[in-house]
mmCIF file of all heavy atoms in Angstrom:
data_model
loop_
_atom_site.group_PDB
_atom_site.id
_atom_site.type_symbol
_atom_site.label_atom_id
_atom_site.label_comp_id
_atom_site.label_asym_id
_atom_site.label_seq_id
_atom_site.Cartn_x
_atom_site.Cartn_y
_atom_site.Cartn_z
ATOM 1 N N ASP D 271 8.653 -7.347 -4.839
ATOM 2 C CA ASP D 271 9.276 -6.084 -4.501
ATOM 3 C C ASP D 271 8.466 -5.364 -3.435
ATOM 4 O O ASP D 271 7.223 -5.446 -3.383
ATOM 5 C CB ASP D 271 9.328 -5.152 -5.725
ATOM 6 C CG ASP D 271 10.390 -5.605 -6.757
ATOM 7 O OD1 ASP D 271 11.246 -6.449 -6.434
ATOM 8 O OD2 ASP D 271 10.333 -5.083 -7.888
ATOM 9 N N TRP D 272 9.157 -4.643 -2.581
ATOM 10 C CA TRP D 272 8.570 -3.786 -1.546
ATOM 11 C C TRP D 272 9.225 -2.415 -1.680
ATOM 12 O O TRP D 272 10.389 -2.304 -1.878
ATOM 13 C CB TRP D 272 8.777 -4.358 -0.157
ATOM 14 C CG TRP D 272 7.859 -5.550 0.082
ATOM 15 C CD1 TRP D 272 8.114 -6.835 -0.302
ATOM 16 C CD2 TRP D 272 6.593 -5.533 0.714
ATOM 17 N NE1 TRP D 272 7.072 -7.637 0.057
ATOM 18 C CE2 TRP D 272 6.119 -6.889 0.712
ATOM 19 C CE3 TRP D 272 5.852 -4.542 1.289
ATOM 20 C CZ2 TRP D 272 4.883 -7.222 1.205
ATOM 21 C CZ3 TRP D 272 4.599 -4.902 1.838
ATOM 22 C CH2 TRP D 272 4.143 -6.244 1.796
ATOM 23 N N LEU D 273 8.379 -1.354 -1.473
ATOM 24 C CA LEU D 273 8.886 0.005 -1.521
ATOM 25 C C LEU D 273 8.330 0.813 -0.345
ATOM 26 O O LEU D 273 7.202 0.614 0.033
ATOM 27 C CB LEU D 273 8.386 0.737 -2.779
ATOM 28 C CG LEU D 273 8.716 0.214 -4.130
ATOM 29 C CD1 LEU D 273 7.510 -0.432 -4.718
ATOM 30 C CD2 LEU D 273 9.143 1.396 -4.986
ATOM 31 N N ARG D 274 9.120 1.689 0.172
ATOM 32 C CA ARG D 274 8.675 2.668 1.135
ATOM 33 C C ARG D 274 8.800 4.014 0.455
ATOM 34 O O ARG D 274 9.870 4.351 -0.096
ATOM 35 C CB ARG D 274 9.524 2.645 2.410
ATOM 36 C CG ARG D 274 9.079 3.632 3.483
ATOM 37 C CD ARG D 274 9.970 4.830 3.450
ATOM 38 N NE ARG D 274 9.608 5.825 4.482
ATOM 39 C CZ ARG D 274 10.025 7.035 4.451
ATOM 40 N NH1 ARG D 274 10.784 7.462 3.485
ATOM 41 N NH2 ARG D 274 9.670 7.865 5.390
ATOM 42 N N ILE D 275 7.749 4.826 0.411
ATOM 43 C CA ILE D 275 7.774 6.106 -0.254
ATOM 44 C C ILE D 275 7.440 7.178 0.769
ATOM 45 O O ILE D 275 6.406 7.107 1.474
ATOM 46 C CB ILE D 275 6.794 6.167 -1.455
ATOM 47 C CG1 ILE D 275 7.135 5.030 -2.442
ATOM 48 C CG2 ILE D 275 6.838 7.543 -2.104
ATOM 49 C CD1 ILE D 275 6.246 4.973 -3.654
ATOM 50 N N ALA D 276 8.306 8.158 0.878
ATOM 51 C CA ALA D 276 8.157 9.264 1.826
ATOM 52 C C ALA D 276 6.890 10.081 1.483
ATOM 53 O O ALA D 276 6.486 10.152 0.321
ATOM 54 C CB ALA D 276 9.399 10.165 1.795
ATOM 55 N N PRO D 277 6.300 10.757 2.496
ATOM 56 C CA PRO D 277 5.058 11.506 2.256
ATOM 57 C C PRO D 277 5.151 12.519 1.079
ATOM 58 O O PRO D 277 4.257 12.511 0.249
ATOM 59 C CB PRO D 277 4.826 12.216 3.579
ATOM 60 C CG PRO D 277 5.475 11.407 4.599
ATOM 61 C CD PRO D 277 6.703 10.798 3.902
ATOM 62 N N ALA D 278 6.195 13.288 1.030
ATOM 63 C CA ALA D 278 6.261 14.382 0.030
ATOM 64 C C ALA D 278 6.505 13.908 -1.400
ATOM 65 O O ALA D 278 6.301 14.647 -2.362
ATOM 66 C CB ALA D 278 7.351 15.361 0.425
ATOM 67 N N ALA D 279 6.988 12.667 -1.552
ATOM 68 C CA ALA D 279 7.297 12.172 -2.907
ATOM 69 C C ALA D 279 6.001 12.076 -3.758
ATOM 70 O O ALA D 279 4.999 11.541 -3.291
ATOM 71 C CB ALA D 279 7.966 10.806 -2.829
ATOM 72 N N LYS D 280 6.086 12.489 -4.982
ATOM 73 C CA LYS D 280 4.964 12.414 -5.921
ATOM 74 C C LYS D 280 5.039 11.071 -6.570
ATOM 75 O O LYS D 280 6.089 10.739 -7.133
ATOM 76 C CB LYS D 280 5.018 13.575 -6.910
ATOM 77 C CG LYS D 280 4.858 14.926 -6.266
ATOM 78 C CD LYS D 280 5.042 16.052 -7.257
ATOM 79 C CE LYS D 280 4.915 17.368 -6.513
ATOM 80 N NZ LYS D 280 5.555 18.462 -7.238
ATOM 81 N N ARG D 281 3.913 10.314 -6.573
ATOM 82 C CA ARG D 281 3.928 8.956 -7.072
ATOM 83 C C ARG D 281 2.719 8.664 -7.961
ATOM 84 O O ARG D 281 1.655 9.250 -7.796
ATOM 85 C CB ARG D 281 3.948 7.980 -5.899
ATOM 86 C CG ARG D 281 2.638 8.048 -5.120
ATOM 87 C CD ARG D 281 2.775 7.759 -3.666
ATOM 88 N NE ARG D 281 3.451 8.854 -3.031
ATOM 89 C CZ ARG D 281 3.625 8.973 -1.738
ATOM 90 N NH1 ARG D 281 3.244 7.998 -0.951
ATOM 91 N NH2 ARG D 281 4.233 9.958 -1.246
ATOM 92 N N GLN D 282 2.950 7.725 -8.884
ATOM 93 C CA GLN D 282 1.887 7.248 -9.780
ATOM 94 C C GLN D 282 2.236 5.845 -10.218
ATOM 95 O O GLN D 282 3.311 5.653 -10.824
ATOM 96 C CB GLN D 282 1.680 8.177 -10.941
ATOM 97 C CG GLN D 282 0.545 7.814 -11.840
ATOM 98 C CD GLN D 282 0.377 8.809 -12.979
ATOM 99 O OE1 GLN D 282 1.321 9.440 -13.425
ATOM 100 N NE2 GLN D 282 -0.850 8.971 -13.441
ATOM 101 N N PHE D 283 1.305 4.871 -10.052
ATOM 102 C CA PHE D 283 1.574 3.487 -10.390
ATOM 103 C C PHE D 283 0.933 3.101 -11.727
ATOM 104 O O PHE D 283 -0.137 3.602 -12.062
ATOM 105 C CB PHE D 283 0.989 2.571 -9.315
ATOM 106 C CG PHE D 283 1.869 2.481 -8.089
ATOM 107 C CD1 PHE D 283 1.943 3.500 -7.189
ATOM 108 C CD2 PHE D 283 2.651 1.324 -7.878
ATOM 109 C CE1 PHE D 283 2.792 3.421 -6.061
ATOM 110 C CE2 PHE D 283 3.493 1.219 -6.777
ATOM 111 C CZ PHE D 283 3.531 2.300 -5.874
ATOM 112 N N SER D 284 1.601 2.217 -12.462
ATOM 113 C CA SER D 284 1.077 1.680 -13.741
ATOM 114 C C SER D 284 1.467 0.247 -13.893
ATOM 115 O O SER D 284 2.549 -0.177 -13.431
ATOM 116 C CB SER D 284 1.654 2.469 -14.934
ATOM 117 O OG SER D 284 1.198 3.783 -14.916
ATOM 118 N N ALA D 285 0.580 -0.510 -14.519
ATOM 119 C CA ALA D 285 0.883 -1.904 -14.866
ATOM 120 C C ALA D 285 1.751 -1.935 -16.156
ATOM 121 O O ALA D 285 1.698 -0.988 -16.952
ATOM 122 C CB ALA D 285 -0.411 -2.682 -15.067
ATOM 123 N N ALA D 286 2.392 -3.024 -16.383
ATOM 124 C CA ALA D 286 3.163 -3.224 -17.660
ATOM 125 C C ALA D 286 2.121 -3.236 -18.791
ATOM 126 O O ALA D 286 0.934 -3.541 -18.562
ATOM 127 C CB ALA D 286 3.942 -4.488 -17.587
ATOM 128 N N SER D 287 2.567 -2.965 -20.007
ATOM 129 C CA SER D 287 1.647 -2.981 -21.166
ATOM 130 C C SER D 287 1.095 -4.378 -21.454
ATOM 131 O O SER D 287 -0.001 -4.486 -21.984
ATOM 132 C CB SER D 287 2.366 -2.392 -22.369
ATOM 133 O OG SER D 287 3.454 -3.218 -22.738
ATOM 134 N N ASP D 288 1.811 -5.400 -21.049
ATOM 135 C CA ASP D 288 1.382 -6.779 -21.388
ATOM 136 C C ASP D 288 1.035 -7.648 -20.159
ATOM 137 O O ASP D 288 0.794 -8.819 -20.300
ATOM 138 C CB ASP D 288 2.428 -7.463 -22.218
ATOM 139 C CG ASP D 288 3.787 -7.576 -21.490
ATOM 140 O OD1 ASP D 288 3.995 -6.884 -20.433
ATOM 141 O OD2 ASP D 288 4.627 -8.372 -21.889
ATOM 142 N N GLU D 289 1.012 -7.029 -18.949
ATOM 143 C CA GLU D 289 0.750 -7.782 -17.764
ATOM 144 C C GLU D 289 0.167 -6.877 -16.675
ATOM 145 O O GLU D 289 0.625 -5.788 -16.467
ATOM 146 C CB GLU D 289 2.054 -8.420 -17.254
ATOM 147 C CG GLU D 289 1.885 -9.377 -16.095
ATOM 148 C CD GLU D 289 3.227 -10.023 -15.717
ATOM 149 O OE1 GLU D 289 4.236 -9.822 -16.349
ATOM 150 O OE2 GLU D 289 3.170 -10.816 -14.726
ATOM 151 N N GLY D 290 -0.861 -7.388 -15.999
ATOM 152 C CA GLY D 290 -1.423 -6.646 -14.902
ATOM 153 C C GLY D 290 -0.548 -6.674 -13.662
ATOM 154 O O GLY D 290 0.483 -7.376 -13.598
ATOM 155 N N ILE D 291 -0.969 -5.935 -12.661
ATOM 156 C CA ILE D 291 -0.214 -5.899 -11.381
ATOM 157 C C ILE D 291 -1.190 -5.816 -10.206
ATOM 158 O O ILE D 291 -2.252 -5.199 -10.316
ATOM 159 C CB ILE D 291 0.740 -4.682 -11.367
ATOM 160 C CG1 ILE D 291 1.744 -4.787 -10.206
ATOM 161 C CG2 ILE D 291 0.034 -3.357 -11.362
ATOM 162 C CD1 ILE D 291 2.908 -3.803 -10.297
ATOM 163 N N SER D 292 -0.851 -6.488 -9.108
ATOM 164 C CA SER D 292 -1.639 -6.420 -7.863
ATOM 165 C C SER D 292 -0.660 -6.012 -6.759
ATOM 166 O O SER D 292 0.452 -6.523 -6.676
ATOM 167 C CB SER D 292 -2.223 -7.740 -7.540
ATOM 168 O OG SER D 292 -3.207 -8.135 -8.470
ATOM 169 N N PHE D 293 -1.110 -5.081 -5.910
ATOM 170 C CA PHE D 293 -0.210 -4.640 -4.846
ATOM 171 C C PHE D 293 -1.036 -4.252 -3.620
ATOM 172 O O PHE D 293 -2.201 -3.891 -3.687
ATOM 173 C CB PHE D 293 0.691 -3.496 -5.277
ATOM 174 C CG PHE D 293 -0.020 -2.304 -5.850
ATOM 175 C CD1 PHE D 293 -0.323 -1.212 -5.051
ATOM 176 C CD2 PHE D 293 -0.334 -2.201 -7.204
ATOM 177 C CE1 PHE D 293 -0.940 -0.079 -5.569
ATOM 178 C CE2 PHE D 293 -0.966 -1.083 -7.720
ATOM 179 C CZ PHE D 293 -1.276 -0.017 -6.908
ATOM 180 N N VAL D 294 -0.387 -4.320 -2.494
ATOM 181 C CA VAL D 294 -0.935 -3.812 -1.227
ATOM 182 C C VAL D 294 -0.263 -2.509 -0.891
ATOM 183 O O VAL D 294 0.940 -2.332 -1.175
ATOM 184 C CB VAL D 294 -0.747 -4.863 -0.089
ATOM 185 C CG1 VAL D 294 0.706 -5.112 0.211
ATOM 186 C CG2 VAL D 294 -1.442 -4.426 1.176
ATOM 187 N N CYS D 295 -1.054 -1.573 -0.369
ATOM 188 C CA CYS D 295 -0.486 -0.289 0.054
ATOM 189 C C CYS D 295 -0.848 -0.130 1.531
ATOM 190 O O CYS D 295 -1.995 -0.183 1.951
ATOM 191 C CB CYS D 295 -1.069 0.861 -0.736
ATOM 192 S SG CYS D 295 -0.534 2.482 -0.169
ATOM 193 N N ILE D 296 0.206 0.095 2.388
ATOM 194 C CA ILE D 296 0.019 0.316 3.802
ATOM 195 C C ILE D 296 0.439 1.746 4.072
ATOM 196 O O ILE D 296 1.590 2.142 3.772
ATOM 197 C CB ILE D 296 0.888 -0.653 4.614
ATOM 198 C CG1 ILE D 296 0.546 -2.102 4.228
ATOM 199 C CG2 ILE D 296 0.702 -0.386 6.104
ATOM 200 C CD1 ILE D 296 1.544 -3.096 4.688
ATOM 201 N N GLN D 297 -0.480 2.525 4.624
ATOM 202 C CA GLN D 297 -0.220 3.920 4.830
ATOM 203 C C GLN D 297 -0.226 4.223 6.332
ATOM 204 O O GLN D 297 -1.163 3.877 7.039
ATOM 205 C CB GLN D 297 -1.319 4.776 4.135
ATOM 206 C CG GLN D 297 -1.093 6.239 4.136
ATOM 207 C CD GLN D 297 -2.203 6.980 3.425
ATOM 208 O OE1 GLN D 297 -2.673 7.975 3.906
ATOM 209 N NE2 GLN D 297 -2.660 6.495 2.277
#
Side-chain angles (χ1 to χ4, degrees):
D271 288 346
W272 286 83
L273 301 105
R274 182 259 181 197
I275 302 179
K280 296 175 183 159
R281 68 212 72 176
Q282 184 178 30
F283 281 75
S284 294
S287 62
D288 61 345
E289 185 175 0
I291 191 168
S292 295
F293 57 93
V294 61
C295 176
I296 304 165
Q297 188 178 136

